[in-house]
Amino acid sequence: MNVQAGDPKLQISKHIYGQFAEHLGRCVYGGFWVDENLNVPKKDRLRLDVIEALNKIKVPNLRWPGGCFADTYHWRDGIGPRTQRPKMLNGTWGDVVEDNSFGTHEFLELCDMLHTEPYIAGNLGSGTVEEMSNWVEYLNLNGDTPLAKMRAQNGHPEPYKVSFWGTGNESWGCGGNMTPEFYADQYKRYATFAKSYPGAPLRKIASGANGDDRNWTEVCMKKIPVDQMWGISLHYYTLPTGNWSKKGPATGFDEQAYFNTVKNSLKMDEIVAAHSAIMDKYDPQKKVALVVDEWGVWTDVEPGTNPAFLYQQNTLRDALVAGTTLNIFNNHCDRVKMAELAQTINVLQALILTDKEKMLLTPTYHVFDLYQVHQDAQYLPLQFTSPDYALGKEKIPALNASASKDKDGVVHISLVNLDPKKSVKIESGIDGVAWKNVTGQILTSAKFSDYNTFDKPNNVKLAQFKGAKKRGNKLEVEVPAQSVVVLALK
Ligand code: AHR
């Protein structure tokens, strides 16, 4: 391996480490926003133990209110006195009653407590241009208009200065079943009237492609001028089986299912590379960000839970996928400037699971904890050849990695060994930086299907890593089987 630490040219945006919270299952209601009688520390109905845990991993942005829900959401239902807010049916996710007690002000209070930037997904699917334009004015205008005054009456005289602005979600599917040609025209219409107010420039993000649908990106890049969008999104989920009707269980899987899952997660690299190459044709200066605003492992729900709530457990396998995916994003930081894991609590590949008062941190949480060192650090290119991890006739690279240098000059290398049986030995030159010692942390467990439970919340946890040393100017590491290791060279 070789790490080029001298003369870095790119930054790994902290926004790659973003999160996603939808009005889906128990993510918002019962996750962040709990019953006022639940016996946990709260501010209003915001759960403080959850917020404290998220603050430790530095969440740079939070996307809300969906997902598919966003294109059914009407923001005026979620402002004003809570007792007067209308109820609606959340027809996207289980036909449950949405009481709108968690709306714009509650979300922005949550963002404030998380020290995170809001990323609001506006309703292009079933809303109007006027409705979206009004929401932006309500949020961001410092002025004497009825909407700005209404915001003040509702408790927030200062403009919120929301900047990240999604314009529809999955417009090829749940967001309106549009063609890319139709969507691109709609985007331009909606985006024109979603205004940047003084002190609150909008970073508008177009609804992007489904996985490998390159034509979507091609058409949007061709039709939407580069200066009319800050970013375009991309959604790719890792399914263990690759089959949406039977995705495979979140726990209790065998090595074949493990292999298929990690192999499917590696596809993110070619998908991002393919969309980036299309974007390069229309935007060679890389002004438009590729925003992977939904990614993660999507399995069958936990037995006995509401199938529309997408509640799944989270094992060491999820952590290895998270480490791998974040390495991919870091290595594409010239184009990938933002990404959001789906979703923060109790839904899909969650960081946190809750059961009434109980709460646990998943293995995926620990990866975000380890990788926070890369946020806004300078990207360092790496060269290496990985040994194979083979199962039957198939093989994939066992090792993936990325590296960065932080503002204090510390070099961090994140390494993921996907092979469940063999460790990987590395000898690496570190060019262009002087360093004296190496320390590290590791996430691993006896089985790739191990997970944390409410009774044993520390089954899978971080530990100190002692398997790296400095020999001369070289770094020597033995990365244990099925592990995520992050090293710090000072
Ligand atoms: O994250 C769950 C759902 O997956 C989102 O609502 C949608 O955008 C995607 O299909």
Side-chain angles (χ1 to χ4, degrees):
M1 180 177 280
N2 191 269
V3 183
Q4 287 163 19
D7 194 25
K9 302 213 163 27
L10 294 166
Q11 191 182 44
I12 297 174
S13 170
K14 66 177 178 181
H15 289 294
I16 285 177
Y17 292 84
Q19 302 298 330
F20 174 32
E22 181 165 10
H23 288 226
L24 191 181
R26 293 188 301 113
C27 185
V28 170
Y29 295 102
F32 281 115
W33 184 251
V34 294
D35 191 289
E36 51 219 4
N37 296 317
L38 191 73
N39 190 17
V40 290
K42 300 182 280 297
K43 182 175 176 212
D44 193 353
R45 288 171 56 188
L46 291 167
R47 189 169 172 161
L48 294 179
D49 50 357
V50 162
I51 290 171
E52 191 187 335
L54 291 173
N55 274 330
K56 288 196 182 128
I57 60 168
K58 295 201 188 108
V59 175
N61 65 72
L62 185 64
R63 179 174 182 248
W64 173 86
C68 294
F69 180 80
D71 279 305
T72 68
Y73 184 65
H74 301 286
W75 66 273
R76 283 176 190 265
D77 295 347
I79 57 167
R82 281 184 207 146
T83 50
Q84 289 168 29
R85 296 184 193 174
K87 292 189 169 55
M88 70 178 272
L89 207 61
N90 184 340
T92 314
W93 300 117
D95 284 344
V96 292
V97 173
E98 157 71 61
D99 69 4
N100 279 306
S101 57
F102 188 90
T104 298
H105 290 258
E106 290 77 12
F107 170 65
L108 291 163
E109 172 68 16
L110 170 64
C111 289
D112 204 39
M113 291 167 74
L114 288 172
H115 314 290
T116 199
E117 277 204 57
Y119 169 16
I120 293 185
N123 178 348
L124 180 142
S126 70
T128 63
V129 173
E130 183 185 18
E131 182 184 4
M132 190 187 285
S133 157
N134 284 345
W135 198 3
V136 177
E137 181 180 331
Y138 179 85
L139 289 163
N140 286 353
L141 178 69
N142 190 7
D144 199 19
T145 68
L147 283 165
K149 283 198 215 155
M150 198 195 299
R151 182 191 66 234
Q153 270 161 20
N154 289 333
H156 210 275
E158 293 302 313
Y160 279 112
K161 300 188 180 170
V162 171
S163 175
F164 290 120
W165 195 261
T167 314
N169 169 76
E170 296 195 349
S171 303
W172 39 264
C174 65
N177 287 305
M178 301 174 200
T179 61
E181 289 80 7
F182 183 76
Y183 173 74
D185 286 340
Q186 291 302 310
Y187 171 86
K188 286 188 273 190
R189 232 181 114 220
Y190 278 73
T192 301
F193 298 98
K195 297 228 181 290
S196 287
Y197 292 101
L202 278 191
R203 284 175 282 185
K204 297 172 200 169
I205 298 167
S207 170
N210 180 15
D212 218 14
D213 178 2
R214 301 172 192 196
N215 184 49
W216 186 279
T217 303
E218 182 89 44
V219 173
C220 288
M221 289 302 297
K222 195 187 292 178
K223 290 194 72 162
I224 304 172
V226 161
D227 61 1
Q228 285 182 28
M229 61 181 158
W230 180 84
I232 182 164
S233 77
L234 166 71
H235 290 181
Y236 175 66
Y237 284 99
T238 297
L239 273 58
T241 59
N243 175 356
W244 282 98
S245 51
K246 190 126 192 47
K247 298 180 266 297
T251 60
F253 44 84
D254 61 14
E255 188 176 350
Q256 188 63 58
Y258 168 78
F259 181 90
N260 293 344
T261 309
V262 294
K263 187 178 100 184
N264 290 342
S265 78
L266 287 167
K267 284 189 194 152
M268 180 67 93
D269 191 40
E270 64 189 62
I271 291 174
V272 163
H275 289 282
S276 299
I278 294 166
M279 294 173 78
D280 285 348
K281 281 201 292 178
Y282 301 95
D283 173 30
Q285 290 175 356
K286 297 186 194 289
K287 288 186 178 153
V288 180
L290 184 58
V291 178
V292 190
D293 58 15
E294 288 186 30
W295 68 271
V297 177
W298 192 326
T299 67
D300 295 337
V301 297
E302 288 307 302
T305 64
N306 185 333
F309 281 14
L310 309 185
Y311 176 74
Q312 63 191 49
Q313 249 295 356
N314 194 295
T315 62
L316 179 65
R317 177 180 69 173
D318 293 79
L320 295 165
V321 169
T324 298
T325 308
L326 293 168
N327 280 339
I328 292 170
F329 293 159
N330 288 347
N331 289 324
H332 284 280
C333 66
D334 59 332
R335 188 58 90 172
V336 178
K337 304 211 173 110
M338 193 173 187
E340 285 76 22
L341 174 72
Q343 300 191 4
T344 325
I345 312 179
N346 294 331
V347 169
L348 299 178
Q349 189 177 350
L351 299 174
I352 294 175
L353 302 177
T354 62
D355 177 16
K356 302 198 179 69
E357 312 50 37
K358 294 184 195 157
M359 173 190 127
L360 65 81
L361 306 176
T362 66
T364 300
Y365 172 95
H366 295 303
V367 173
F368 276 81
D369 189 3
L370 285 177
Y371 277 55
Q372 59 176 291
V373 292
H374 290 306
Q375 291 193 23
D376 278 347
Q378 292 174 305
Y379 171 68
L380 304 180
L382 287 170
Q383 281 96 37
F384 65 96
T385 314
S386 167
D388 289 334
Y389 160 34
L391 190 69
K393 289 194 180 125
E394 290 194 284
K395 55 185 189 203
I396 55 173
L399 187 76
N400 62 78
S402 65
S404 68
K405 184 159 77 174
D406 73 12
K407 57 178 176 9
D408 301 318
V410 181
V411 171
H412 292 103
I413 308 174
S414 43
L415 300 150
V416 179
N417 180 4
L418 296 172
D419 192 314
K421 296 193 190 86
K422 291 189 212 141
S423 63
V424 176
K425 282 195 179 144
I426 299 167
E427 192 191 75
S428 178
I430 315 286
D431 295 344
V433 73
W435 58 289
K436 292 200 181 98
N437 60 58
V438 53
T439 53
Q441 283 188 284
I442 182 167
L443 187 73
T444 188
S445 194
K447 290 192 269 167
F448 48 58
S449 54
D450 283 347
Y451 55 97
N452 293 334
T453 66
F454 294 106
D455 296 329
K456 290 192 177 160
N458 292 317
N459 259 345
V460 186
K461 62 170 194 293
L462 293 180
Q464 249 192 17
F465 178 65
K466 302 253 171 64
K469 54 178 183 276
K470 185 170 195 272
R471 190 184 294 275
N473 277 331
K474 297 253 183 228
L475 169 70
E476 286 182 358
V477 195
E478 179 156 2
V479 189
Q482 54 189 26
S483 72
V484 181
V485 169
V486 175
L487 302 174
L489 280 63
K490 292 185 200 166

